[in-house]
Amino acid sequence: MSKDLETYHVEVNIRNEYGYIPKDEFGNPVPSIKFVKTVNPLFLDTMLKRLYKDFKAIVPKGHDINIEVYLSNTVSGTWMNMASYYGSEERFVTH
């Protein structure tokens, strides 16, 4: 089963109800939170929904949470956007 796993770069974007980027304790904008996640591609939608619920639990009410997942393309040296989850719409999209 381990051969079926892919390592994705995950980017979580959080905006308040007016579309503004949140700021840290020093007033610096935090446009996104980025991290790496390894998962079976068949469960990519489940992972994104779970991440959304986790972030929703710690983000103030009224904020919009969108999550994008990228996979490295070693041939072109670029990052391909593989999927997105739009929290306010509860919509999963594969690219």
Side-chain angles (χ1 to χ4, degrees):
M1 172 136 183
S2 63
K3 66 180 180 176
D4 297 332
L5 298 178
E6 293 279 357
T7 300
Y8 296 98
H9 287 257
V10 180
E11 185 172 324
V12 180
N13 298 297
I14 301 169
R15 302 291 182 266
N16 71 10
E17 60 270 18
Y18 306 109
Y20 296 130
I21 297 170
K23 297 185 182 205
D24 66 12
E25 62 188 71
F26 303 109
N28 301 314
V30 181
S32 64
I33 299 168
K34 299 176 184 178
F35 54 94
V36 175
K37 193 91 168 152
T38 302
V39 67
N40 185 314
L42 297 175
F43 300 111
L44 193 55
D45 61 332
T46 304
M47 179 199 72
L48 291 178
K49 290 174 186 175
R50 182 72 239 169
L51 285 172
Y52 171 75
K53 288 180 181 182
D54 291 345
F55 274 93
K56 188 175 179 181
I58 60 173
V59 170
K61 233 179 189 177
H63 283 60
D64 192 22
I65 303 166
N66 295 319
I67 306 171
E68 295 184 349
V69 177
Y70 298 91
L71 187 61
S72 176
N73 183 334
T74 55
V75 174
S76 66
T78 60
W79 293 94
M80 302 179 300
N81 187 339
M82 299 303 292
S84 300
Y85 187 77
Y86 303 102
S88 61
E89 302 170 17
E90 295 186 6
R91 184 168 56 110
F92 173 76
V93 178
T94 56
H95 304 285

